[in-house]
Every structure is written in C-alpha cells, then in structure tokens.
Amino acid sequence: MTDLYSKIVSTGSYLPQKIYTNHDIEKLVDTSHDWIVERTGIISRHIADENESSVDMAYEASCKAIERSNLKNNDIDLILVATTTPERKFPSTAVLLQSLLNNNKASAFDVNAACTGFIYALDIADKYIKGGFAKNVLVVGTEKITSLIDWSDRNTCVLFGDGAGAVILTASQTPGLISNTIGSDGSYKDLLTVNTDTEVIEMRGNDVFKIAVNTMGKLAKKTLENSDYSVNNIDWLIPHQANSRIIKAVAKKINLSEDKIIMTVDKHGNTSAASIPLALDYGVNTGMVKKDHLIIFEAFGAGFTWGSTLLKF
Ligand code: UT7
C-alpha cells in the first residue's frame, strides 16, 4: 500500500477594512508608536466592524481558498475551524461556515487551542486524511479577538488584530505534511486568559514572552532533529505572529537567518489562531512561498498550548 499524505493545495485570507495604527491607539491609552514598535514590531492591525463576525471573516478566506483549489464547495468532507471568538456558543463556527458555503457533505467542528488552534486543527485534518476518513479538508483560523480587548488596558490593547486564514488540505501520494507535533500544559492557565466574568484578555506578558521563546525554540529544534532535514533545508519559518522579538529569538535558537521568516505581525498584530494561515497566504500572494518549499510552522498560546508542523508546500 502506498503512503498517504495530506497536502496544502490552496490558501486564502481575509482582513477587515478598518485599520488602527499605533497613532490611533495613542489616543486611547498612555502608549507611544515608538514603544509599540520597539517592544512588539507592530505598526498597525485590522479591526472587524461591529456586525462582522469570525464566521463572516472565515467565509471570505474560505471562498478564496476553495476557488484556488478548483474544488467545489460540496467536495469538502471535513470543515475544521480554529477560533477562540465564536459568533455563537453553539452551533459551532465550523457549522455556521458550512451553512454559508451551502455545503451539505462535510462534518464540521471547532477547535479551541487559543493561538495554537490552527496547528491543532491541521493535526486533526492530517490524521483524518491519513486514516482515509476524509479527502478534502477545509482548515480555517479566524478571530475577532478585538472583541475580547479592554481598550483601556495598554498591556494588551496594543497587541491584537482581527482576520482569518484558510487552507485546503487534500489526500496526496507525496508530502505534504511531514510531521506535526502538538502539546499543552494547563498549569499555566492563569498567565494568559479570558475569564467568563470579565470577558477580556488578561496576560502576564513578560512571563508569557520567556516561556514562548523557550518552548517554540525547543520545539523547532526537535522538529528538525526528528526529520530528515536540517535548518539549511528550510525555506520559510512561518510562526505565530505575537511579537517580532519572540519570532527573531526563535529563529536565532535554530540558527535560521532572519530573511527566512515570513513576518506579518507589523501589519496584522496578533490575530491568535488566524495568524499562521494569514502569514502563509501573505507569503503565497507576495510570491515568497513557492511550490515544493520546505516550511516550518511554530505556534504558542494560552493554556499553554504549542505546536509545530514541518511541510513541503
Ligand atoms: O499570542 C500568545 C502569546 N502571547 C505572547 O507571546 C505575548 C508575549 N508578551 C509580549 O509580547 C511582551 O511581554 C509585551 C509586548 C506584552 C510587553 O513587552 P515587555 O518588554 O515584556 O514589557 P513589560 O511587560 O516588561 O513592561 C515594560 C514596561 C512597564 O513599565 P515599567 O514597569 O518598566 O515602568 C510597562 O508598564 O513597559 C510598560 N508598558 C507600556 N508602555 C507603553 C506596558 N505596556 C505598554 C504600552 N505602552 N502599551
């Protein structure tokens, strides 16, 4: 029997029209453009309209990915949506997306692993495809994360933005996804959290920063050690986009030069589960990411959760 792999055949993304620059945020809290750029690398972020939900953004990103895949909506047999900002408590965002897509063939469900959600969803998709349980999977990361922002808290309000990214994974005789690793440790549950009584993001930023760098650095190293590839084979590191200093520190830990990083945090801010598929689509649209490139995804988020994917595009 020949090996079965899952392969990303297309990407799509959506960013809301409204943009907040650092100068806009200077009007809300005691901060400065220079502080935000120096400490985070963020220059601007997109903000969803009041009546624009995570499902609406997921739909726009998904339509682009489906169109580029040459599949029809009903060819999709599994829809996975990574989000922490669902439009409704239930039905799931994935089911609401299925309805907008007029798809009546797929199973659909959400994955919540905070900023690592997209990697968790990829892991599930990969296993469904390798197990022969699905052929064409739509995997989406979508967040209206600014709905969880306290706009008077300068520790958090400068960091986040909204958007969605989508990929189509299909069964393939060649890789595709080479390896996928996910993990979590609930003992850190209070360092980055949204409590149901306040419904706003609370973060011990400095503690999160250090653990994020260490965890993603180790994970990237281990992912390469467990593969047939070395860092010299990597065409692109596409990490979760929370802070350019975290991203550069992770690249340094694996001796990867900075020109091999797809960096979008300057334009998007931290879009949680949407950040990796948004950055991937940005890489594709700008012509940086090409067919057969070797790519490593690295993510880290509340929980803590973490994940790493090595793939041939
Ligand atoms: O997506 C999931 C993972 N999330 C992350 O990875 C985020 C990780 N954390 C970070 O990116 C960084 O910790 C932050 C960007 C959130 C903060 O940067 P930092 O270098 O760790 O700053 P800090 O929290 O240690 O604060 C340094 C100073 C403090 O002032 P004092 O106590 O030194 O007087 C803060 O009050 O900067 C102050 N500060 C600000 N100043 C201007 C904090 N936020 C701001 C602000 N503008 N927005």
Side-chain angles (χ1 to χ4, degrees):
M1 209 177 93
T2 48
D3 286 336
L4 198 57
Y5 297 94
S6 54
K7 194 169 178 69
I8 295 177
V9 292
S10 65
T11 63
S13 67
Y14 173 80
L15 289 159
Q17 270 194 342
K18 200 195 305 169
I19 293 175
Y20 273 18
T21 65
N22 293 343
H23 297 297
D24 293 322
I25 297 188
E26 279 173 353
K27 293 175 197 147
L28 304 176
V29 287
D30 178 17
T31 190
S32 69
H33 169 75
D34 290 347
W35 188 95
I36 301 170
V37 173
E38 193 197 317
R39 305 313 292 166
T40 73
I42 299 167
I43 294 169
S44 60
R45 68 290 285 147
H46 293 253
I47 311 279
D49 265 347
E50 213 170 295
N51 50 14
E52 190 171 36
S53 76
S54 53
V55 180
D56 300 324
M57 294 189 281
Y59 174 70
E60 297 293 337
S62 300
C63 287
K64 286 180 199 148
I66 294 168
E67 193 187 319
R68 288 174 176 173
S69 72
N70 292 322
L71 294 172
K72 301 204 168 48
N73 289 10
N74 253 352
D75 294 331
I76 293 160
D77 45 19
L78 180 63
I79 299 173
L80 299 174
V81 176
T83 189
T84 56
T85 46
E87 183 185 301
R88 303 185 190 184
K89 290 246 196 262
F90 60 80
S92 68
T93 310
V95 165
L96 298 177
L97 174 61
Q98 177 182 31
S99 148
L100 288 179
L101 290 170
N102 284 320
N103 170 296
N104 56 15
K105 292 275 162 59
S107 312
F109 59 95
D110 287 2
V111 178
N112 180 346
C115 299
T116 317
F118 182 73
I119 303 295
Y120 270 62
L122 271 189
D123 191 51
I124 297 166
D126 188 42
K127 288 182 166 118
Y128 265 82
I129 287 175
K130 280 188 175 147
F133 301 108
K135 210 171 155 201
N136 302 310
V137 187
L138 170 62
V139 182
V140 186
T142 185
E143 296 282 13
K144 189 175 179 176
I145 198 85
T146 61
S147 65
L148 301 174
I149 293 293
D150 171 359
W151 288 103
S152 66
D153 177 10
R154 72 173 184 175
N155 291 302
T156 53
C157 78
V158 302
L159 302 174
F160 295 93
D162 301 324
V167 301
I168 302 283
L169 277 178
T170 68
S172 159
Q173 303 300 318
T174 54
L177 264 59
I178 296 163
S179 74
N180 218 67
T181 310
I182 56 169
S184 56
D185 183 345
S187 65
Y188 293 106
K189 61 188 181 299
D190 295 322
L191 293 194
L192 175 51
T193 185
V194 176
N195 282 307
T196 43
D197 51 348
T198 52
E199 287 282 338
V200 292
I201 295 173
E202 295 167 48
M203 176 167 70
R204 300 234 305 263
N206 209 273
D207 296 329
V208 178
F209 187 103
K210 287 178 204 145
I211 302 169
V213 171
N214 262 326
T215 307
M216 282 197 284
K218 274 192 205 145
L219 195 57
K221 252 188 205 159
K222 212 164 143 198
T223 299
L224 286 170
E225 276 165 18
N226 293 343
S227 78
D228 297 332
Y229 299 96
S230 81
V231 70
N232 299 328
N233 302 119
I234 296 289
D235 293 294
W236 296 110
L237 166 66
I238 306 187
H240 170 50
Q241 309 277 327
N243 185 317
S244 61
R245 288 189 296 137
I246 295 179
I247 294 171
K248 287 176 187 170
V250 171
K252 199 168 168 196
K253 279 192 184 274
I254 57 169
N255 292 318
L256 184 78
S257 91
E258 284 184 13
D259 58 8
K260 298 211 162 172
I261 302 170
I262 302 277
M263 188 82 85
T264 51
V265 68
D266 55 334
K267 294 174 271 296
H268 301 169
N270 181 347
T271 58
S272 185
S275 89
I276 289 180
L278 266 168
L280 173 64
D281 193 48
Y282 174 82
V284 171
N285 294 339
T286 51
M288 291 190 281
V289 172
K290 294 191 167 68
K291 194 175 164 349
D292 288 331
H293 273 178
L294 188 71
I295 299 175
I296 186 164
F297 296 152
E298 288 295 320
F300 182 84
F304 291 131
T305 56
W306 54 84
S308 174
T309 306
L310 184 67
L311 69 141
K312 269 256 156 99
F313 190 69

